[in-house]
């Protein structure tokens, strides 16, 4: 609990193993800006990993050949869009101290701070304008749809009692103008 308690008077020291680790569950998925580690004593090597699900991990930073036992702040700044719910600090090499009885020690730190923004999933296409290659049945002479129940506006009306049906062509398409740029996590059709 001392890894994220916000108290620089407490610290966490991992068990004596080169692969010792501590993991933080952020409780929800966040877009990460940075991770700060305030070391009391650095190990010789460590890596920082992130995951959305706690199973599949991505290494976002790795340090090797550090001055074991040194103190200070190490920071990972994200330049690419990175989402995570879990953050894991994993030691890869303990440090050796002759002054403390000629033995190996795990790194230890006061705080592991994770900065980011909560990911909010929303239907960004709801109510947006839609173009299609052509509707099922085509158009009447007056430009109206032969089958008005298949109007393209139904693609984004958020009503599961309506639907759109495209012309019978292999290369038929739907285009939605989202009106601004978004990071698209998923597309669901129903």
């Amino acid at each position: 609990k001392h890894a994220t308690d916000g108290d620089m008077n407490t610290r966490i020291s991992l068990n004596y193993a080169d692969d010792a680790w501590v993991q933080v569950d952020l409780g929800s998925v966040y877009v990460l800006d940075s991770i700060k580690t305030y070391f009391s004593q650095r190990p010789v090597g460590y890596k920082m990993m992130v995951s959305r699900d706690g199973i599949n991990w991505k290494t976002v930073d790795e340090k090797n050949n550090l001055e074991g036992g040194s103190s200070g702040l190490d920071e990972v700044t994200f330049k690419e869009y990175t989402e995570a719910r879990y953050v894991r600090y994993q030691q890869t090499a303990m440090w050796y101290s002759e002054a403390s009885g000629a033995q190996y020690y795990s790194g230890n730190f006061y705080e592991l701070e994770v900065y980011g923004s909560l990911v909010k999933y929303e239907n960004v296409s709801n109510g947006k304008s839609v173009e299609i290659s052509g509707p099922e049945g085509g158009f009447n002479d007056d430009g109206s749809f032969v089958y008005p129940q298949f109007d393209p506006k139904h693609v984004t009306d958020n009503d599961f009692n309506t639907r759109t049906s495209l012309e019978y062509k292999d290369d038929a398409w739907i285009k939605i103008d989202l009106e601004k740029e978004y990071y698209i996590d998923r597309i669901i059709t129903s």
Side-chain angles (χ1 to χ4, degrees), residues 2-186:
H2 293 309
T4 59
D5 65 2
D7 186 348
M8 291 296 194
N9 294 310
T10 62
R11 65 186 174 94
I12 182 169
S13 183
L14 302 178
N15 58 314
Y16 292 161
D18 281 335
D19 61 353
W21 55 270
V22 63
Q23 177 176 305
V24 177
D25 179 353
L26 302 174
S28 295
V29 176
Y30 284 80
V31 178
L32 301 182
D33 294 322
S34 65
I35 301 171
K36 295 180 179 181
T37 310
Y38 294 87
F39 282 98
S40 171
Q41 297 168 311
R42 285 183 181 88
V44 173
Y46 72 90
K47 58 185 172 180
M48 200 64 73
M49 298 180 287
V50 298
S51 172
R52 284 181 55 96
D53 58 12
I55 297 167
N56 301 295
W57 293 91
K58 175 184 176 184
T59 299
V60 293
D61 191 38
E62 189 163 2
K63 305 264 194 242
N64 295 297
N65 302 313
L66 297 172
E67 181 184 340
S70 63
S71 63
L73 168 64
D74 286 3
E75 183 173 4
V76 179
T77 302
F78 293 89
K79 293 177 179 40
E80 294 180 12
Y81 187 90
T82 303
E83 288 185 358
R85 174 177 172 166
Y86 302 91
V87 176
R88 181 182 286 178
Y89 162 91
Q90 182 171 340
Q91 178 172 273
T92 57
M94 293 189 301
W95 63 282
Y96 182 79
S97 173
E98 289 188 22
S100 299
Q103 66 179 29
Y104 285 92
Y105 291 92
S106 283
N108 56 82
F109 53 87
Y110 300 110
E111 280 300 302
L112 179 68
E113 298 177 344
V114 181
Y115 295 88
S117 304
L118 184 62
V119 174
K120 179 182 173 193
Y121 292 105
E122 62 181 301
N123 179 357
V124 296
S125 66
N126 193 29
K128 301 296 192 280
S129 63
V130 178
E131 291 180 40
I132 61 173
S133 56
E136 177 182 337
F139 296 98
N140 292 315
D141 291 338
D142 65 359
S144 64
F145 298 104
V146 170
Y147 303 116
Q149 69 269 29
F150 300 142
D151 189 315
K153 71 180 179 188
H154 297 314
V155 171
T156 60
D157 67 4
N158 208 27
D159 182 347
F160 290 102
N161 295 311
T162 63
R163 68 185 180 102
T164 298
S165 185
L166 299 176
E167 61 190 326
Y168 295 146
K169 290 175 56 179
D170 287 338
D171 60 352
W173 53 266
I174 297 174
K175 176 179 153 186
I176 302 169
D177 181 359
L178 301 177
E179 300 171 358
K180 65 180 184 177
E181 289 186 24
Y182 289 94
Y183 171 78
I184 304 297
D185 180 65
R186 64 192 76 167

